[in-house]
Amino acid sequence: MVPLVAALAAVVGPSASGSLAKASDPREDNLPTPASVLGFEPCTDYKLATYEQITDYFGALDKASDRLQMMSIGKTSEGRDQVLGIVSTPDNLTPDNLKKYRGIAERLAHARGLTDAQAKDLAAEGKTVAWVDFGIHSTEVAPTQTAPQFAYDLVRSESAEAKSIRENVITLFNPNVNPDGTTHISKWYMDHVGGPYQDSSYPELYQKYAGHDDNRDWFMFNLQETRNQGDILWHQWYPQMVYNTHQTAAYPARIFIPPFKDPSNPNIPAEVIRGINLMGDSMTQRLDREGKVGAVSRQQYDQWWNGGLRSVPAFHNQIGLLSETAHASATPKFEDPAKFPKEFPYQGVSTSEPSAFYPSPYKGGWWHLKDSCSYIESTGWAYLNTAASDREGWLYGAYRMGKQAIEAGGNVAYVIPADQTDFATAAKMVNVLRWGDVEVEQASRAFAVGDRTYPAGSYIVREAQPFRPYVVDLLNPQNYPDRRNPDGTPERPYDMAGWTLQYQMGVDVDKVDAKIDVPSRQVTWASVPTPQMPSRTPGYAYALDPRVNDSYTAAMQLMRSGEKVTRTLEAVQTDQGTWPAGTFLVPAGRSSEVKVRGQARGLGLTVAGVATEPAKTVPVSGPRVGLYHGWGGNSDEGWTRYVLEQFKFPYAQVHDADVRAGSLAKKYDVLVLPDATYSRMLNGLREGSLPAEYTGGMTAAGVANLKKFVEEGGTLVTVNDAAQLPIQAFGDFPVTDVTEGVPSTKYYSPGSVVATQVQPTTPVTWGLPEKLDAYSSTSPAFTVTGDAGSVSTPVTYPQGNILRSGWLLGEDLIAGKAAVADVTYGKGRVVLLGTSVQHRAQAHGTYKLLFNSLLLGGER
Ligand SMILES: [Zn+2]
């Protein structure tokens, strides 16, 4: 394994040796204080430092101390430099020793080629590698503002505890997970402090594409920031523990700290859960020793979910935990105990009487940012102290879990066949797995399992690997337990209930339990499939397969470069066999040949030749797409932008003011409403909550303009709940949502993968398979209640067995109903995409529903 990982580190990122060792060892009591650089004490009321101010401080600390080294780990989505600090002793931080300790952590984590005795020796020789981060959620300001003071104290303190931590631990001190957001939020607050909007919320996503969903990207690695940090976590340093700091404790507790509440994901090793509980208890104990009351455990945050910065480590045999401190603001607040709720939500724990997981209830009073910061720093010390005191135990534990995982894997493997139609998307999935350090092989020859033969080039993921819990969790269905509140309503999972990667991505994967013996190579990164062009210039046109997602990318780029593109209305004969309706055609010619070849090469496409012009085609031109952008930060809108940019669909953002102004048809062929309720779009943010330009929504006048846009020939595309707008507001609309107003006891799917049936011959469904997995978040289901002639329902829920992964209550309600409805309305059309078709840029399997809908507007 070593050559693979070494090669990978060389490919994907900067290495720790990029930092410079300092020549001298200045007196640590002359270190710059945070105030000397920021201009104020960190965590002072009414003050927030930007990311730039904070990194200036870390730069100054790095320069003055040889107990801290800063390194750049990549660019953010907005182009800022993202940095990471490493804190230890000067001796541990020499380039040779950093390399040595990094190597030990990696060898133990991978657990390959070691005897138990060797592993014990390495554990004795190594240092605990402990990650602590700040600022993932930029509106949760206390962690961000804590980082400079904590770093100063950790570097400077001469206490026995601090010395032991520096000696025994390599602390990966990450001052900011989301630098762009910190600067946006701090500037917004400092621009408004003292004014009427001092405590108003920032009206945009604070992470360019994801906002708060930047903590939903950790198995998918879409965002640049996730990649920068994933590289450190799972390709370079393999910390034995990861501590991720947030704000939102179950009120009125002052901080939430694990143990987490149930359910627990059965794939997480027991030793990880024990480690999380132990770490959490060390933190809460520390707080009570310091008189910091009000820490609560076993509330709100469960241990089922995969995909967050604290949860993905748990599937990598790492102790992954978070804390959630109260009061995310620099504005102080009086907490009136008379207004406290009597009980916490989970298991009805009293907020005033001591109990096992809330033994020192908070009694109220004034609360300042400094209080939150001081709680966070105390938990950080407890964490690092526990990391130091059981150094060998943590290191050897990583090895033991890895070794057990390898042994438990047996012969079970996941084969990703190279002969699937959209193999390019399969290669993308392999890279998603590789970001998480899953071992993947690519077969050099064809091989058989049972009576199925897999061609050379197929990928194999064996369960016998150190991060087997992660493999098993991502590549199998989640079976979320049916858990209810005392009143019988479903107990809401913390986040998604199911996320099975190949279901979301529409990739064929065969799980097999048989010894696969085939020559193969370890995959560092999967490259795009080998491109193929017709052997000679076709008589009529080059054809792009509509079943392949990146055919859309190619078609968009070819159109933009001036090539004429059409789509066939029926199946078409090509030199690669019969391709389905919706096949893209580009007339053959000298200019198109070069461009098509370029696209094929870049995207790994198989391009076919078509000899004669098919009878029925429809011209496609680049549609003018408007993407509705409501104020307040809608992650679904951000992810939609991300997907459109990845697949080269140009778009313009349409704001409330544009919708209110009308004349939409002059600018757009297609308008897209990302997932949002009708009421949210109509009313927007409350008047007075933000400057007037951000409040008030699209208004009834704007909704009337949308209706007019469709009546005059425009295409309106709605995603998930946004279907409410045309259904409730257009009048005489021939479709209703059968789930509208149904209580959660009767219908509930809190983020699950569900089965649908597709009629693939309609322009909305071109290129899709007949059985399609879709992502449902208690999504609408449609039935035709008006003029049936004006509606087609090309995607429907099957009559039974709808749940594929996660949790679904009330399948009877949606069985046989439509998941997609294509409605002719006036001279235009409304396409209701009833599932989260672009869900967090994970649901590659359903992207075509969005792409096809956009192209409808360009068919003229
Ligand atoms: Zn958070």
Side-chain angles (χ1 to χ4, degrees), residues 136-137 140 206 212 215 245-248 324 494:
I136 186 167
H137 287 149
E140 300 164 7
Y206 53 68
H212 197 82
N215 198 28
T245 57
H246 292 256
Q247 286 197 276
T248 313
E324 298 269 356
Y494 174 71

Short mmCIF file of all heavy atoms in Angstrom, two decimals, residues 136-137 140 206 212 215 245-248 324 494, ligand 1:
data_model
loop_
_atom_site.label_atom_id
_atom_site.label_comp_id
_atom_site.label_asym_id
_atom_site.label_seq_id
_atom_site.Cartn_x
_atom_site.Cartn_y
_atom_site.Cartn_z
N ILE A 136 -16.45 25.75 10.76
CA ILE A 136 -17.09 25.09 9.61
C ILE A 136 -18.38 25.80 9.25
O ILE A 136 -18.69 26.00 8.08
CB ILE A 136 -17.31 23.58 9.87
CG1 ILE A 136 -17.83 22.90 8.61
CG2 ILE A 136 -18.25 23.32 11.06
CD1 ILE A 136 -17.81 21.38 8.65
N HIS A 137 -19.15 26.16 10.26
CA HIS A 137 -20.40 26.90 10.02
C HIS A 137 -20.18 28.35 10.43
O HIS A 137 -20.08 28.67 11.61
CB HIS A 137 -21.56 26.26 10.79
CG HIS A 137 -21.98 24.97 10.18
ND1 HIS A 137 -22.50 23.93 10.89
CD2 HIS A 137 -21.97 24.58 8.87
CE1 HIS A 137 -22.80 22.94 10.06
NE2 HIS A 137 -22.47 23.30 8.83
N GLU A 140 -21.85 30.28 13.12
CA GLU A 140 -21.57 29.83 14.48
C GLU A 140 -20.22 30.43 14.84
O GLU A 140 -19.16 29.81 14.68
CB GLU A 140 -21.58 28.29 14.50
CG GLU A 140 -22.95 27.75 14.07
CD GLU A 140 -22.96 26.27 13.69
OE1 GLU A 140 -21.95 25.58 13.88
OE2 GLU A 140 -24.00 25.81 13.17
N TYR A 206 -23.19 31.32 2.95
CA TYR A 206 -21.84 31.76 3.35
C TYR A 206 -20.74 30.89 2.76
O TYR A 206 -19.60 31.30 2.72
CB TYR A 206 -21.72 31.88 4.87
CG TYR A 206 -22.12 30.67 5.69
CD1 TYR A 206 -21.37 29.51 5.66
CD2 TYR A 206 -23.25 30.72 6.51
CE1 TYR A 206 -21.72 28.41 6.41
CE2 TYR A 206 -23.61 29.62 7.28
CZ TYR A 206 -22.84 28.47 7.22
OH TYR A 206 -23.19 27.38 7.97
N HIS A 212 -24.61 26.09 4.79
CA HIS A 212 -24.54 25.15 5.92
C HIS A 212 -24.25 23.72 5.46
O HIS A 212 -23.72 22.91 6.22
CB HIS A 212 -25.89 25.21 6.65
CG HIS A 212 -25.87 24.64 8.03
ND1 HIS A 212 -25.43 25.34 9.12
CD2 HIS A 212 -26.22 23.41 8.51
CE1 HIS A 212 -25.53 24.59 10.21
NE2 HIS A 212 -26.02 23.41 9.86
N ASN A 215 -21.11 21.06 5.64
CA ASN A 215 -20.90 19.90 6.51
C ASN A 215 -21.78 18.72 6.07
O ASN A 215 -22.14 17.87 6.87
CB ASN A 215 -21.18 20.26 7.97
CG ASN A 215 -20.58 19.23 8.92
OD1 ASN A 215 -19.59 18.58 8.59
ND2 ASN A 215 -21.19 19.06 10.09
N THR A 245 -15.88 21.66 15.86
CA THR A 245 -16.61 22.53 16.80
C THR A 245 -17.72 23.31 16.11
O THR A 245 -17.53 23.88 15.03
CB THR A 245 -15.64 23.50 17.48
OG1 THR A 245 -14.97 24.26 16.48
CG2 THR A 245 -14.63 22.77 18.35
N HIS A 246 -18.87 23.34 16.75
CA HIS A 246 -20.08 24.00 16.23
C HIS A 246 -20.76 24.79 17.34
O HIS A 246 -20.32 24.80 18.48
CB HIS A 246 -21.09 22.95 15.75
CG HIS A 246 -20.70 22.19 14.55
ND1 HIS A 246 -21.24 22.44 13.30
CD2 HIS A 246 -19.84 21.17 14.40
CE1 HIS A 246 -20.72 21.59 12.44
NE2 HIS A 246 -19.87 20.81 13.07
N GLN A 247 -21.89 25.38 16.96
CA GLN A 247 -22.77 26.02 17.94
C GLN A 247 -24.22 25.73 17.64
O GLN A 247 -24.68 26.02 16.52
CB GLN A 247 -22.56 27.55 17.90
CG GLN A 247 -21.26 27.98 18.54
CD GLN A 247 -21.27 29.45 18.86
OE1 GLN A 247 -20.98 30.27 18.00
NE2 GLN A 247 -21.65 29.79 20.08
N THR A 248 -24.90 25.19 18.57
CA THR A 248 -26.35 25.07 18.72
C THR A 248 -26.57 23.96 19.73
O THR A 248 -26.70 22.81 19.36
CB THR A 248 -27.12 24.66 17.45
OG1 THR A 248 -26.69 25.45 16.36
CG2 THR A 248 -28.62 24.88 17.65
N GLU A 324 -21.26 21.46 20.42
CA GLU A 324 -22.21 22.48 19.97
C GLU A 324 -22.44 23.42 21.14
O GLU A 324 -23.18 23.11 22.07
CB GLU A 324 -23.54 21.83 19.55
CG GLU A 324 -23.42 20.85 18.39
CD GLU A 324 -23.64 21.51 17.03
OE1 GLU A 324 -23.95 22.73 17.00
OE2 GLU A 324 -23.50 20.81 16.01
N TYR A 494 -31.01 12.92 12.53
CA TYR A 494 -30.21 14.16 12.54
C TYR A 494 -30.10 14.74 11.13
O TYR A 494 -30.28 15.93 10.92
CB TYR A 494 -28.81 13.90 13.09
CG TYR A 494 -27.99 15.14 12.96
CD1 TYR A 494 -28.26 16.24 13.76
CD2 TYR A 494 -27.00 15.24 11.98
CE1 TYR A 494 -27.56 17.40 13.61
CE2 TYR A 494 -26.29 16.40 11.83
CZ TYR A 494 -26.57 17.49 12.65
OH TYR A 494 -25.87 18.65 12.48
ZN ZN B 1 -22.76 23.82 12.90
#
